[in-house]
């Protein structure tokens, strides 16, 4: 238990000094996608629900944050909270409809509803269509800290990530999380023990959507614009890849997966151009065929084997 | 003597697109009894279970529990009323520990199951009760094991412990000894007998040895309808039953 604490403290220290070595905007982008993947993992890894339209929460919150900060003049902290709540509300609507079905039908309903929202954003005047919502000011945090400075913003983003990660960790290790795992393991049995599984699934969906929204809103602040790409189903697919690659149902898997994918995309984009998609596809195939538990899952299993705890 | 009867069905019918799986079943389960539901394959036993626990909605007919009509209720509501079922295939949570399996059942009464901000350490308060329940079914030494690693018979025992955690008035057991070796069957049989004190058990069971030994009343279903009802000694001599069912398995 203590070793875990030391591990977390070490990672946090590493993140605190990271911008001295790595370009802070890249790390911020990784943190945004890591948070997005963690939120997604709460559903697929701990509740057993595959949402195939999760990008819509990322995208919606991005627009809401952008619009509220740029047009309505919200301060950044308020814009983020407002955007996360908007994503949670959308999650409630989409979730209420989708949880009536399970398995592939659930995935298809989330995809269909997400596509409807995507076309709304494509047409709606306030989103700027394919140009995106540009020139969103970063503003001043609580009216004091100037976020236009990348380093200031970095520590703000890191704080958001740590808070959200803690919240997800707590949710997984809470009485509610226990029921979620029970639903994932054996839904019929959970019902027969008297749990209204639909309500638990819906709360998990809303939490996941809200946190995915927080990731999207933060991303808007980092890049100063909200884009249609974030709401596109490609992004929904990408988050599945990140989560599977890192390790579905592990606490750190999505973080590792997101960091790997984003870094690769970043490194490869100038060198191989559109071949990136092919490389991502190949990684996905190798991951599914060779190490199904993902990077963190396989490492965890290896550690268990080496320490001999069966 | 309406109070004597814990569960009653009236003219229960379930049709699947023209096929009548359950036909006009009127069943009375008396409080404190072990009531066995038997019949050849495809007789509709599991369908009756699914109707009673509302995993399926009846096409026609009514279900009364303690004199109240529960026909329109949802499965989770039925469970909260005290009717808890098991399943034909073992119903455990495979990747949780044995202790956690029982705790899931216990924690509902705490009323904190939606509290996602609370640490699961609050659930440790339930460990004592959970261990008692595990001890009742002889699983206390397996508490920390991941359930998927338990042998089959033990999984069924865990399932019973989990069901008992809800202190059900009525336990519905769907083939509790199915697929078990000789020793495990004896174990589970004794267990059912033991836990039936102060509660009612309705079970679907194929093993006639178990049915003969522990059940007070038997209902024989054939082709979705009730063929005979009564104690084992009486039912086993009924010529219609012998022809439809007993004759083939007891010969």
């Amino acid at each position: 238990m203590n070793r875990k604490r030391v591990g977390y403290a070490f990672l946090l220290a590493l993140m605190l000094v990271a911008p001295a070595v790595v370009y802070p905007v890249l790390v911020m982008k990784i943190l945004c996608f890591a948070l997005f993947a963690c939120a997604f993992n709460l559903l697929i890894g701990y509740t057993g629900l595959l949402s195939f339209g999760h990008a819509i929460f990322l995208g919606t919150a991005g627009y809401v944050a952008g619009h509220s900060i740029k047009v309505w003049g919200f301060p950044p902290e308020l814009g983020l909270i407002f955007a996360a709540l908007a994503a949670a509300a959308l999650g409630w609507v989409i979730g209420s409809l989708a949880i009536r079905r399970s398995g592939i039908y659930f995935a298809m309903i989330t995809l269909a509803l997400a596509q409807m929202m995507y076309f709304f954003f494509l047409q709606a005047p306030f989103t700027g269509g394919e140009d995106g919502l540009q020139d969103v000011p970063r503003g001043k945090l609580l009216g004091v800290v100037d976020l236009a400075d990348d380093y200031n913003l970095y520590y703000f983003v890191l704080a958001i990530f740590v808070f959200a990660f803690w919240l997800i960790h707590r949710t997984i290790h809470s009485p509610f999380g226990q029921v979620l795992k029970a639903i994932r393991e054996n839904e019929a049995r959970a019902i027969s023990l008297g749990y209204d599984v639909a309500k638990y699934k819906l709360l998990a969906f809303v939490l996941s959507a809200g946190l995915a929204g927080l990731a999207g809103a933060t991303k808007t602040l980092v890049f100063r614009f909200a884009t249609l790409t974030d709401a596109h189903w490609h992004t929904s697919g990408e988050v599945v890849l990140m989560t599977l690659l890192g390790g579905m149902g592990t606490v750190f898997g999505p973080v590792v997966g997101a960091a790997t994918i984003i870094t690769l995309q970043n490194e490869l984009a100038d060198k191989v151009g559109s071949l990136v998609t092919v490389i991502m596809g190949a990684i996905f195939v190798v991951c599914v065929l060779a190490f199904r538990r993902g990077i963190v899952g396989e490492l965890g299993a290896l550690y268990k084997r080496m320490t001999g705890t069966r | 003597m309406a109070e004597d009867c814990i569960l009653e069905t009236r003219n229960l019918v379930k049709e699947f697109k023209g096929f009548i799986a359950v036909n006009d079943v009127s069943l009375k389960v008396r409080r404190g009894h072990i009531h066995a539901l038997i019949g050849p394959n495809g007789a509709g036993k599991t369908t009756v279970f699914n109707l009673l626990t509302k995993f399926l909605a009846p096409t026609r007919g009514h279900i009364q529990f303690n004199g109240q009509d529960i026909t329109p209720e949802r499965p989770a509501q039925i469970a909260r009323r005290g009717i808890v079922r098991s399943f034909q295939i073992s119903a455990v949570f495979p990747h949780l520990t044995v202790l956690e399996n029982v705790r899931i059942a216990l924690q509902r009464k705490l009323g904190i199951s939606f509290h996602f901000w609370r640490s699961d350490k609050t659930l440790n308060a339930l460990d004592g009760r959970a261990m008692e329940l595990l001890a009742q079914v002889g699983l206390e030494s397996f508490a920390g094991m991941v359930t998927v690693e338990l042998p089959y018979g033990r999984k069924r025992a865990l399932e019973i412990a989990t069901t008992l955690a809800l202190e059900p008035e009525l336990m519905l057991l769907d083939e509790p000894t199915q697929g078990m070796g000789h020793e495990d069957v004896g174990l589970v049989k004794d267990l059912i007998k033991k836990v039936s004190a102060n509660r009612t058990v309705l079970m679907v069971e194929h093993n006639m040895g178990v049915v003969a030994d522990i059940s007070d009343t038997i209902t024989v279903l054939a082709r979705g309808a009730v063929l005979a009802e009564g104690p084992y000694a009486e039912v086993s001599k009924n010529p219609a039953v012998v022809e439809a069912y007993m004759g083939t398995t007891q010969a």
Side-chain angles (χ1 to χ4, degrees), chain A residues 168-280:
Chain A
I168 291 172
H169 187 270
R170 172 41 60 87
T171 303
I172 293 166
H173 299 100
S174 72
F176 175 67
Q178 282 291 320
V179 179
L180 291 188
K181 283 176 225 168
I183 293 172
R184 175 193 72 188
E185 296 281 303
N186 192 335
E187 186 171 340
R189 181 55 168 169
I191 296 172
S192 84
L193 294 180
Y195 290 106
D196 281 315
V197 297
K199 288 184 190 161
Y200 290 85
K201 285 182 182 174
L202 184 58
L203 178 55
F205 199 93
V206 170
L207 279 173
S208 175
L211 289 164
L214 184 59
T218 310
K219 188 168 171 289
T220 295
L221 211 55
V222 171
F223 289 98
R224 295 192 173 98
F225 66 83
T227 138
L228 209 48
T229 318
D230 284 350
H232 196 268
W233 66 270
H234 275 172
T235 310
S236 295
E238 222 159 59
V239 76
V240 177
L241 174 58
M242 288 172 185
T243 310
L244 285 184
L245 181 68
M248 191 174 97
T250 61
V251 175
F252 260 106
V255 181
V256 174
T260 313
I261 299 285
I262 298 293
T263 313
L264 272 179
Q265 281 177 348
N266 207 58
E267 290 295 312
L268 294 175
D270 320 333
K271 294 164 195 156
V272 297
S274 55
L275 266 179
V276 168
T277 332
V278 179
I279 294 170
M280 291 299 144

Side-chain angles (χ1 to χ4, degrees), chain B residues 34-39 176-177 185 189 192 203-220 230-233 235 245-246 250:
Chain B
I34 297 181
H35 192 130
L37 201 57
I38 66 171
T177 69
V185 169
K189 185 180 79 181
I192 295 171
M203 62 175 183
V204 167
E205 185 53 59
H206 274 302
N207 188 317
M208 279 308 132
V210 175
V211 172
D213 275 1
I214 62 171
S215 54
D216 301 296
T217 314
I218 298 171
T219 299
V220 186
Y232 181 77
V235 168
Y245 185 71
M246 301 287 199
Q250 289 251 306

Side-chain angles (χ1 to χ4, degrees), chain A residues 170-171 173-176 178-179 181-182 185-186 188-196 199-200 203 207 310, chain B residues 55 74-76 79-80 85 91-95 100 104 107-108 112-113 116-120 149 159 163:
Chain A
R170 172 41 60 87
T171 303
H173 299 100
S174 72
F176 175 67
Q178 282 291 320
V179 179
K181 283 176 225 168
E185 296 281 303
N186 192 335
R189 181 55 168 169
I191 296 172
S192 84
L193 294 180
Y195 290 106
D196 281 315
K199 288 184 190 161
Y200 290 85
L203 178 55
L207 279 173
R310 281 167 50 89
Chain B
F55 275 69
R74 283 173 292 116
R80 291 198 289 269
R85 70 172 297 181
V92 292
F93 303 115
H95 295 99
E100 282 173 326
I104 292 279
Q107 82 170 63
R108 207 194 70 222
I112 56 167
S113 291
F116 59 84
W117 57 88
R118 211 186 265 264
S119 166
D120 55 5
E149 291 169 1
E159 201 184 314
T163 305

Side-chain angles (χ1 to χ4, degrees), chain A residues 30-301:
Chain A
I30 289 174
L31 286 175
C32 289
F33 276 97
L35 173 53
F36 180 38
C38 284
F40 176 76
N41 186 43
L42 182 63
L43 274 188
I44 191 163
Y46 292 95
T47 322
L49 293 173
L50 170 59
S51 160
F52 206 72
H54 237 51
I56 206 64
F57 304 119
L58 187 81
T60 300
Y63 284 126
V64 172
H67 191 78
S68 63
I69 292 171
K70 183 184 170 185
V71 181
W72 296 341
F74 278 27
E77 64 279 358
L78 195 63
L80 294 190
I81 293 170
F82 180 61
L85 289 177
L90 181 65
W92 187 79
V93 174
I94 292 184
S96 310
L97 290 168
I99 54 168
R100 291 157 192 258
R101 292 288 174 271
S102 55
I104 189 74
Y105 301 102
F106 174 86
M108 286 301 112
I109 292 171
T110 51
L111 174 62
L113 293 172
Q115 284 301 91
M116 283 163 60
M117 284 301 290
Y118 173 81
F119 284 104
F120 167 72
F121 287 140
L122 182 63
Q123 300 294 334
F126 77 95
T127 62
E130 301 201 349
D131 299 332
L133 180 67
Q134 301 194 4
D135 300 322
V136 178
R138 283 179 179 174
K140 287 189 173 171
L141 178 60
L142 301 170
V144 185
V145 185
D146 188 9
L147 295 179
D149 180 274
D150 276 352
Y151 291 93
N152 288 347
L153 184 66
Y154 176 81
Y155 290 107
F156 180 48
V157 171
L158 183 62
I160 291 172
F161 176 81
V162 169
F163 162 74
F165 187 82
W166 170 82
L167 185 66
I168 291 172
H169 187 270
R170 172 41 60 87
T171 303
I172 293 166
H173 299 100
S174 72
F176 175 67
Q178 282 291 320
V179 179
L180 291 188
K181 283 176 225 168
I183 293 172
R184 175 193 72 188
E185 296 281 303
N186 192 335
E187 186 171 340
R189 181 55 168 169
I191 296 172
S192 84
L193 294 180
Y195 290 106
D196 281 315
V197 297
K199 288 184 190 161
Y200 290 85
K201 285 182 182 174
L202 184 58
L203 178 55
F205 199 93
V206 170
L207 279 173
S208 175
L211 289 164
L214 184 59
T218 310
K219 188 168 171 289
T220 295
L221 211 55
V222 171
F223 289 98
R224 295 192 173 98
F225 66 83
T227 138
L228 209 48
T229 318
D230 284 350
H232 196 268
W233 66 270
H234 275 172
T235 310
S236 295
E238 222 159 59
V239 76
V240 177
L241 174 58
M242 288 172 185
T243 310
L244 285 184
L245 181 68
M248 191 174 97
T250 61
V251 175
F252 260 106
V255 181
V256 174
T260 313
I261 299 285
I262 298 293
T263 313
L264 272 179
Q265 281 177 348
N266 207 58
E267 290 295 312
L268 294 175
D270 320 333
K271 294 164 195 156
V272 297
S274 55
L275 266 179
V276 168
T277 332
V278 179
I279 294 170
M280 291 299 144
I283 291 176
F284 187 70
V285 172
V286 170
C287 172
V288 171
L289 288 180
F291 52 110
R292 280 191 206 181
R293 283 178 285 204
I295 297 169
V296 172
E298 294 293 341
L299 286 178

